Amino acid sequence: YLVLALGADTNWYGNERIRAHAIPMKSVSEALFIRNQIFEDYEKAVVAEDYDQRQTLLDIVIVGGGPTGVE
């Protein structure tokens, strides 16, 4: 899974599982890391023989979008 945590201030709501799997996007380097992670997962999905593994690699979750209405 790829979980993106966007916003002015990253709030994990005390949930360590979210902190372990989420990638905040507050800087250009974090944005580039996310882009590269997505590309890497897509490249793995192209050669994955197992359907469930391929679907897992293609899942992207975006949480929170703030006042832009992305929620």
Side-chain angles (χ1 to χ4, degrees):
Y1 296 93
L2 173 63
V3 180
L4 309 182
L6 310 173
D9 214 13
T10 302
N11 187 343
W12 307 110
Y13 299 101
N15 189 323
E16 290 303 315
R17 188 170 177 198
I18 293 173
R19 182 187 296 268
H21 295 284
I23 304 169
M25 191 167 67
K26 306 281 188 284
S27 67
V28 173
S29 63
E30 289 173 334
L32 290 172
F33 176 79
I34 291 168
R35 182 198 65 179
N36 292 338
Q37 185 68 51
I38 291 170
F39 285 162
E40 183 179 321
D41 286 351
Y42 283 175
E43 290 170 355
K44 289 178 184 176
V46 167
V47 297
E49 294 181 14
D50 181 60
Y51 175 81
D52 291 330
Q53 180 187 13
R54 183 171 44 252
Q55 288 306 114
T56 298
L57 289 166
L58 296 175
D59 286 345
I60 299 173
V61 178
I62 301 172
V63 179
T68 60
V70 177
E71 299 93 330

Coordinates of all heavy atoms in Angstrom, one line a residue:
Y1 N 0.8 -1.2 0.0 CA 0.0 0.0 0.0 C 0.9 1.2 0.0 O 1.9 1.3 0.6 CB -0.9 0.0 1.2 CG -1.9 -1.1 1.3 CD1 -1.6 -2.2 1.9 CD2 -3.1 -0.9 0.6 CE1 -2.5 -3.3 2.0 CE2 -4.0 -1.9 0.6 CZ -3.8 -3.1 1.3 OH -4.7 -4.1 1.3
L2 N 0.4 2.3 -0.7 CA 1.0 3.6 -0.6 C 0.0 4.5 0.0 O -1.1 4.7 -0.6 CB 1.5 4.0 -2.0 CG 2.0 5.4 -2.1 CD1 3.3 5.6 -1.3 CD2 2.3 5.8 -3.6
V3 N 0.3 5.1 1.1 CA -0.6 6.1 1.7 C 0.1 7.4 1.7 O 1.2 7.6 2.2 CB -0.9 5.7 3.2 CG1 -1.8 6.6 3.8 CG2 -1.5 4.3 3.2
L4 N -0.6 8.5 1.2 CA 0.0 9.8 1.2 C -0.7 10.6 2.3 O -1.9 10.6 2.4 CB -0.3 10.5 -0.1 CG 0.1 9.7 -1.4 CD1 -0.2 10.5 -2.6 CD2 1.6 9.4 -1.3
A5 N 0.0 11.4 3.1 CA -0.5 12.2 4.1 C -0.2 13.7 3.8 O 0.9 14.1 3.9 CB 0.1 11.8 5.5
L6 N -1.2 14.4 3.3 CA -1.0 15.8 2.9 C -1.6 16.7 3.9 O -2.5 16.4 4.6 CB -1.7 16.0 1.5 CG -1.3 15.0 0.4 CD1 -2.2 15.2 -0.8 CD2 0.1 15.0 0.1
G7 N -1.1 18.0 3.9 CA -1.7 19.0 4.8 C -0.6 19.9 5.3 O 0.6 19.7 5.1
A8 N -1.1 21.0 6.0 CA -0.1 21.9 6.5 C 0.7 21.4 7.7 O 1.8 21.7 7.9 CB -0.9 23.2 7.0
D9 N 0.1 20.5 8.4 CA 0.7 19.9 9.6 C 0.3 18.4 9.6 O -0.8 18.1 9.7 CB 0.2 20.6 10.9 CG 1.2 20.7 11.9 OD1 2.4 20.5 11.7 OD2 0.8 21.0 13.1
T10 N 1.3 17.6 9.6 CA 1.0 16.1 9.6 C 0.5 15.7 11.0 O 1.2 16.0 12.0 CB 2.3 15.3 9.3 OG1 2.8 15.7 8.0 CG2 2.0 13.8 9.2
N11 N -0.6 15.1 11.0 CA -1.3 14.7 12.3 C -1.5 13.2 12.1 O -2.3 12.8 11.3 CB -2.6 15.4 12.5 CG -3.1 15.1 13.9 OD1 -2.8 14.2 14.5 ND2 -4.1 16.0 14.3
W12 N -0.9 12.4 13.0 CA -1.0 11.0 12.9 C -2.1 10.5 13.8 O -2.4 9.3 13.9 CB 0.3 10.3 13.3 CG 1.5 10.8 12.5 CD1 2.5 11.6 12.9 CD2 1.7 10.6 11.1 NE1 3.4 11.9 11.9 CE2 2.9 11.3 10.7 CE3 1.0 9.9 10.1 CZ2 3.4 11.3 9.5 CZ3 1.6 10.0 8.8 CH2 2.7 10.6 8.5
Y13 N -2.7 11.4 14.6 CA -3.8 11.1 15.5 C -3.5 10.0 16.4 O -4.3 9.1 16.8 CB -5.1 10.7 14.7 CG -5.6 11.9 13.8 CD1 -5.3 11.9 12.5 CD2 -6.2 12.9 14.4 CE1 -5.7 12.9 11.7 CE2 -6.6 14.0 13.6 CZ -6.4 14.0 12.2 OH -6.8 15.0 11.4
G14 N -2.2 9.9 16.8 CA -1.7 8.9 17.8 C -1.7 7.5 17.2 O -1.5 6.5 18.0
N15 N -1.8 7.3 15.9 CA -1.9 6.0 15.3 C -0.5 5.7 14.7 O -0.1 6.2 13.7 CB -3.0 6.0 14.3 CG -3.2 4.6 13.7 OD1 -2.3 3.8 13.6 ND2 -4.5 4.3 13.4
E16 N 0.2 4.8 15.4 CA 1.6 4.5 14.9 C 1.5 3.7 13.6 O 2.5 3.7 12.8 CB 2.3 3.7 16.0 CG 2.7 4.5 17.2 CD 3.5 5.8 16.8 OE1 4.5 5.6 16.0 OE2 3.2 6.9 17.3
R17 N 0.5 3.0 13.3 CA 0.4 2.2 12.1 C 0.3 3.2 10.9 O 0.9 3.0 9.8 CB -0.9 1.3 12.1 CG -0.9 0.4 11.0 CD -2.0 -0.6 11.1 NE -2.1 -1.5 10.0 CZ -3.1 -2.2 9.6 NH1 -4.1 -2.3 10.4 NH2 -3.0 -3.0 8.5
I18 N -0.5 4.3 11.1 CA -0.5 5.3 10.0 C 0.9 5.9 9.8 O 1.3 6.0 8.7 CB -1.6 6.4 10.3 CG1 -3.0 5.8 10.3 CG2 -1.4 7.5 9.4 CD1 -4.0 6.8 10.8
R19 N 1.5 6.3 10.9 CA 2.8 6.9 10.8 C 3.8 5.9 10.1 O 4.7 6.4 9.3 CB 3.4 7.2 12.2 CG 4.7 7.9 12.2 CD 5.3 8.0 13.6 NE 4.5 8.9 14.4 CZ 4.8 10.2 14.6 NH1 5.7 10.8 13.9 NH2 4.0 10.9 15.4
A20 N 3.7 4.6 10.3 CA 4.6 3.7 9.7 C 4.4 3.5 8.2 O 5.3 3.2 7.4 CB 4.5 2.3 10.4
H21 N 3.2 3.7 7.7 CA 2.9 3.5 6.3 C 2.6 4.7 5.5 O 2.5 4.6 4.2 CB 1.7 2.6 6.2 CG 1.9 1.2 6.8 ND1 2.7 0.3 6.1 CD2 1.6 0.6 7.9 CE1 2.7 -0.8 6.8 NE2 2.1 -0.6 8.0
A22 N 2.5 5.9 6.1 CA 2.1 7.1 5.4 C 3.4 7.9 5.0 O 4.4 7.8 5.6 CB 1.2 8.0 6.2
I23 N 3.3 8.6 3.9 CA 4.4 9.5 3.4 C 3.9 10.9 3.4 O 3.0 11.2 2.5 CB 4.9 9.0 2.0 CG1 5.3 7.6 2.0 CG2 6.0 9.9 1.6 CD1 5.5 7.0 0.6
P24 N 4.3 11.8 4.3 CA 3.9 13.2 4.2 C 4.5 13.8 3.0 O 5.5 13.4 2.5 CB 4.4 13.8 5.5 CG 5.5 12.9 6.0 CD 5.2 11.5 5.4
M25 N 3.8 14.9 2.5 CA 4.3 15.6 1.4 C 4.4 17.1 1.7 O 3.5 17.8 1.4 CB 3.5 15.3 0.1 CG 4.1 15.9 -1.1 SD 3.4 15.3 -2.7 CE 1.8 16.1 -2.6
K26 N 5.5 17.5 2.3 CA 5.7 18.8 2.7 C 6.9 19.5 1.9 O 7.1 20.7 2.1 CB 6.0 18.9 4.2 CG 5.0 18.3 5.0 CD 3.8 19.1 5.2 CE 2.8 18.6 6.2 NZ 2.1 17.4 5.8
S27 N 7.6 18.7 1.2 CA 8.8 19.3 0.5 C 8.9 18.7 -0.9 O 8.3 17.6 -1.2 CB 10.0 19.0 1.3 OG 10.3 17.6 1.3
V28 N 9.7 19.3 -1.7 CA 10.0 18.7 -3.1 C 10.6 17.3 -3.0 O 10.3 16.4 -3.7 CB 10.9 19.7 -3.9 CG1 11.3 19.1 -5.2 CG2 10.2 21.0 -4.1
S29 N 11.5 17.2 -2.1 CA 12.2 15.8 -1.9 C 11.2 14.8 -1.6 O 11.3 13.6 -2.1 CB 13.3 15.9 -0.9 OG 12.9 16.2 0.3
E30 N 10.2 15.1 -0.7 CA 9.2 14.1 -0.4 C 8.3 13.8 -1.6 O 7.9 12.7 -1.8 CB 8.3 14.6 0.8 CG 9.1 14.6 2.1 CD 8.4 15.2 3.3 OE1 7.5 16.1 3.1 OE2 8.7 14.8 4.4
A31 N 8.0 14.8 -2.3 CA 7.1 14.7 -3.5 C 7.9 13.8 -4.5 O 7.3 12.9 -5.2 CB 6.8 16.0 -4.1
L32 N 9.2 14.0 -4.7 CA 9.9 13.2 -5.6 C 10.0 11.7 -5.1 O 10.0 10.8 -5.9 CB 11.3 13.8 -5.8 CG 11.4 15.1 -6.6 CD1 12.8 15.7 -6.5 CD2 10.9 14.9 -8.0
F33 N 10.1 11.5 -3.8 CA 10.2 10.2 -3.3 C 8.8 9.5 -3.6 O 8.8 8.3 -4.0 CB 10.4 10.2 -1.8 CG 10.3 8.9 -1.1 CD1 11.4 8.0 -1.2 CD2 9.2 8.5 -0.5 CE1 11.3 6.8 -0.6 CE2 9.1 7.3 0.1 CZ 10.2 6.4 0.0
I34 N 7.7 10.2 -3.4 CA 6.4 9.6 -3.7 C 6.3 9.2 -5.2 O 5.9 8.1 -5.5 CB 5.3 10.6 -3.3 CG1 5.2 10.7 -1.8 CG2 3.9 10.1 -3.8 CD1 4.4 11.8 -1.2
R35 N 6.7 10.1 -6.0 CA 6.7 9.9 -7.5 C 7.5 8.6 -7.8 O 7.0 7.7 -8.5 CB 7.2 11.1 -8.3 CG 7.1 10.8 -9.8 CD 8.0 11.8 -10.5 NE 9.4 11.5 -10.2 CZ 10.4 12.2 -10.7 NH1 10.2 13.1 -11.6 NH2 11.7 11.9 -10.4
N36 N 8.7 8.6 -7.3 CA 9.6 7.4 -7.6 C 9.0 6.1 -7.0 O 9.1 5.1 -7.6 CB 11.0 7.7 -7.0 CG 11.7 8.8 -7.8 OD1 11.3 9.1 -8.9 ND2 12.6 9.4 -7.1
Q37 N 8.3 6.2 -5.8 CA 7.7 5.0 -5.2 C 6.6 4.5 -6.1 O 6.4 3.3 -6.3 CB 7.2 5.3 -3.8 CG 6.6 4.1 -3.1 CD 7.7 3.1 -2.7 OE1 8.7 3.5 -2.2 NE2 7.5 1.9 -3.1
I38 N 5.8 5.4 -6.6 CA 4.7 5.0 -7.5 C 5.2 4.4 -8.8 O 4.7 3.3 -9.2 CB 3.8 6.3 -7.9 CG1 3.0 6.7 -6.6 CG2 2.8 5.9 -9.0 CD1 2.3 8.1 -6.8
F39 N 6.2 5.0 -9.4 CA 6.8 4.4 -10.6 C 7.4 3.0 -10.3 O 7.2 2.1 -11.1 CB 7.9 5.3 -11.2 CG 7.4 6.5 -11.9 CD1 8.3 7.6 -12.1 CD2 6.1 6.6 -12.3 CE1 7.8 8.7 -12.7 CE2 5.7 7.7 -13.0 CZ 6.5 8.8 -13.2
E40 N 8.0 2.9 -9.2 CA 8.6 1.6 -8.8 C 7.5 0.5 -8.7 O 7.7 -0.6 -9.1 CB 9.4 1.7 -7.5 CG 10.1 0.4 -7.1 CD 11.0 0.6 -5.8 OE1 11.6 1.7 -5.7 OE2 11.0 -0.3 -5.0
D41 N 6.5 0.9 -8.0 CA 5.3 -0.1 -7.8 C 4.7 -0.4 -9.1 O 4.3 -1.6 -9.4 CB 4.3 0.5 -6.8 CG 4.8 0.5 -5.4 OD1 5.8 -0.1 -5.1 OD2 4.1 1.1 -4.5
Y42 N 4.5 0.5 -10.0 CA 4.0 0.3 -11.3 C 4.9 -0.7 -12.1 O 4.4 -1.6 -12.8 CB 3.7 1.5 -12.1 CG 2.5 2.3 -11.7 CD1 2.2 3.5 -12.3 CD2 1.6 1.9 -10.7 CE1 1.1 4.3 -11.9 CE2 0.5 2.6 -10.3 CZ 0.3 3.8 -10.9 OH -0.8 4.5 -10.6
E43 N 6.2 -0.5 -12.1 CA 7.1 -1.3 -12.8 C 7.0 -2.8 -12.2 O 7.1 -3.7 -13.0 CB 8.5 -0.8 -12.7 CG 8.7 0.5 -13.5 CD 10.1 1.2 -13.2 OE1 10.8 0.7 -12.3 OE2 10.3 2.1 -13.9
K44 N 6.9 -2.9 -10.9 CA 6.7 -4.2 -10.3 C 5.4 -4.9 -10.7 O 5.4 -6.1 -11.0 CB 6.8 -4.2 -8.8 CG 8.2 -3.8 -8.2 CD 8.1 -3.7 -6.7 CE 9.5 -3.3 -6.1 NZ 9.4 -3.1 -4.7
A45 N 4.4 -4.1 -10.8 CA 3.1 -4.6 -11.2 C 3.0 -5.1 -12.6 O 2.3 -6.1 -12.9 CB 2.0 -3.5 -11.0
V46 N 3.8 -4.5 -13.5 CA 3.8 -4.9 -14.9 C 4.3 -6.4 -15.0 O 3.8 -7.1 -15.8 CB 4.7 -4.0 -15.7 CG1 5.0 -4.6 -17.1 CG2 4.1 -2.6 -15.9
V47 N 5.2 -6.8 -14.2 CA 5.8 -8.1 -14.3 C 5.2 -9.1 -13.2 O 5.6 -10.3 -13.2 CB 7.4 -8.1 -14.2 CG1 8.0 -7.3 -15.3 CG2 7.8 -7.5 -12.8
A48 N 4.3 -8.6 -12.4 CA 3.8 -9.5 -11.4 C 2.8 -10.5 -12.0 O 2.0 -10.2 -12.8 CB 3.0 -8.7 -10.3
E49 N 3.0 -11.8 -11.7 CA 2.2 -12.8 -12.2 C 0.9 -13.1 -11.4 O -0.1 -13.5 -11.9 CB 3.0 -14.1 -12.3 CG 4.2 -14.0 -13.3 CD 5.0 -15.3 -13.4 OE1 4.5 -16.4 -12.9 OE2 6.0 -15.3 -14.0
D50 N 1.0 -12.8 -10.1 CA -0.1 -13.0 -9.2 C -1.1 -11.8 -9.3 O -0.6 -10.6 -9.1 CB 0.4 -13.2 -7.8 CG -0.8 -13.4 -6.8 OD1 -1.5 -14.4 -7.0 OD2 -0.9 -12.6 -5.9
Y51 N -2.3 -12.0 -9.5 CA -3.3 -10.9 -9.7 C -3.4 -10.1 -8.4 O -3.4 -8.8 -8.4 CB -4.7 -11.5 -10.0 CG -5.8 -10.4 -10.0 CD1 -5.9 -9.6 -11.2 CD2 -6.6 -10.2 -9.0 CE1 -6.9 -8.6 -11.2 CE2 -7.6 -9.3 -9.0 CZ -7.8 -8.5 -10.1 OH -8.7 -7.5 -10.1
D52 N -3.5 -10.7 -7.2 CA -3.6 -10.0 -5.9 C -2.4 -9.2 -5.7 O -2.5 -8.0 -5.2 CB -3.9 -11.0 -4.8 CG -5.3 -11.6 -4.9 OD1 -6.2 -11.0 -5.4 OD2 -5.4 -12.8 -4.4
Q53 N -1.2 -9.7 -5.9 CA 0.0 -8.9 -5.8 C 0.0 -7.7 -6.7 O 0.3 -6.6 -6.3 CB 1.2 -9.8 -6.0 CG 2.5 -9.0 -5.8 CD 3.7 -9.8 -6.3 OE1 3.6 -10.8 -6.9 NE2 4.9 -9.3 -5.9
R54 N -0.4 -7.9 -7.9 CA -0.5 -6.8 -8.9 C -1.4 -5.7 -8.4 O -1.1 -4.5 -8.4 CB -0.9 -7.3 -10.3 CG -0.9 -6.2 -11.3 CD -1.1 -6.7 -12.7 NE -2.1 -7.8 -12.9 CZ -1.8 -9.1 -13.1 NH1 -0.6 -9.5 -13.2 NH2 -2.8 -9.9 -13.2
Q55 N -2.6 -6.1 -7.9 CA -3.6 -5.1 -7.4 C -3.1 -4.4 -6.2 O -3.3 -3.2 -6.1 CB -4.9 -5.8 -7.1 CG -5.7 -6.3 -8.3 CD -5.9 -5.2 -9.3 OE1 -5.4 -5.2 -10.4 NE2 -6.7 -4.2 -8.9
T56 N -2.4 -5.1 -5.3 CA -1.8 -4.4 -4.2 C -0.8 -3.3 -4.6 O -0.7 -2.2 -4.0 CB -1.1 -5.4 -3.2 OG1 -2.1 -6.4 -2.8 CG2 -0.4 -4.8 -2.0
L57 N 0.0 -3.6 -5.6 CA 1.0 -2.7 -6.1 C 0.4 -1.5 -6.8 O 0.9 -0.4 -6.8 CB 2.0 -3.4 -7.1 CG 2.9 -4.4 -6.4 CD1 3.6 -5.2 -7.5 CD2 4.0 -3.6 -5.6
L58 N -0.8 -1.6 -7.3 CA -1.5 -0.6 -8.0 C -2.4 0.3 -7.1 O -2.9 1.4 -7.5 CB -2.4 -1.1 -9.1 CG -1.6 -1.8 -10.2 CD1 -2.5 -2.4 -11.3 CD2 -0.6 -0.8 -10.9
D59 N -2.6 -0.1 -5.8 CA -3.5 0.6 -4.9 C -2.7 1.9 -4.4 O -1.6 1.8 -3.9 CB -3.9 -0.2 -3.7 CG -4.9 -1.2 -4.1 OD1 -5.5 -1.1 -5.1 OD2 -5.1 -2.2 -3.3
I60 N -3.3 3.0 -4.5 CA -2.8 4.3 -3.9 C -3.9 4.9 -3.1 O -5.1 5.1 -3.6 CB -2.3 5.2 -5.0 CG1 -1.2 4.6 -5.8 CG2 -1.9 6.6 -4.4 CD1 -0.8 5.4 -7.0
V61 N -3.6 5.3 -1.9 CA -4.6 5.9 -1.0 C -4.2 7.4 -0.7 O -3.1 7.6 -0.3 CB -4.8 5.2 0.3 CG1 -5.8 5.9 1.2 CG2 -5.3 3.7 0.0
I62 N -5.0 8.3 -1.0 CA -4.7 9.7 -0.6 C -5.7 10.1 0.5 O -6.9 10.0 0.3 CB -4.9 10.6 -1.9 CG1 -4.0 10.2 -3.0 CG2 -4.6 12.1 -1.5 CD1 -4.2 10.9 -4.3
V63 N -5.1 10.5 1.6 CA -5.9 10.9 2.8 C -5.7 12.4 3.1 O -4.6 12.9 3.2 CB -5.4 10.1 4.0 CG1 -6.2 10.4 5.2 CG2 -5.5 8.6 3.7
G64 N -6.9 13.0 3.1 CA -6.9 14.4 3.5 C -6.4 15.3 2.3 O -5.6 15.0 1.6
G65 N -7.1 16.4 2.2 CA -6.7 17.3 1.1 C -6.9 18.7 1.6 O -6.7 19.7 0.9
G66 N -7.4 18.9 2.9 CA -7.6 20.2 3.5 C -8.7 21.0 2.8 O -9.6 20.4 2.3
P67 N -8.5 22.3 2.8 CA -9.5 23.2 2.3 C -9.7 23.1 0.8 O -10.6 23.8 0.2 CB -9.0 24.6 2.7 CG -7.5 24.4 2.7 CD -7.3 23.0 3.2
T68 N -9.0 22.3 0.1 CA -9.1 22.2 -1.4 C -10.3 21.4 -1.8 O -10.7 21.3 -2.9 CB -7.9 21.7 -2.1 OG1 -7.6 20.4 -1.6 CG2 -6.7 22.6 -1.8
G69 N -10.9 20.6 -0.8 CA -12.0 19.8 -1.1 C -11.7 18.5 -1.6 O -12.5 17.8 -2.2
V70 N -10.5 18.0 -1.5 CA -10.0 16.8 -2.1 C -10.5 15.6 -1.2 O -10.6 14.5 -1.7 CB -8.5 16.7 -2.2 CG1 -8.0 15.4 -2.7 CG2 -8.0 17.8 -3.1
E71 N -10.9 15.8 0.0 CA -11.3 14.7 0.9 C -12.4 14.0 0.2 O -13.0 13.2 0.3 CB -11.9 15.2 2.2 CG -10.9 16.0 3.1 CD -10.9 17.5 2.9 OE1 -11.3 17.9 1.8 OE2 -10.6 18.2 3.8

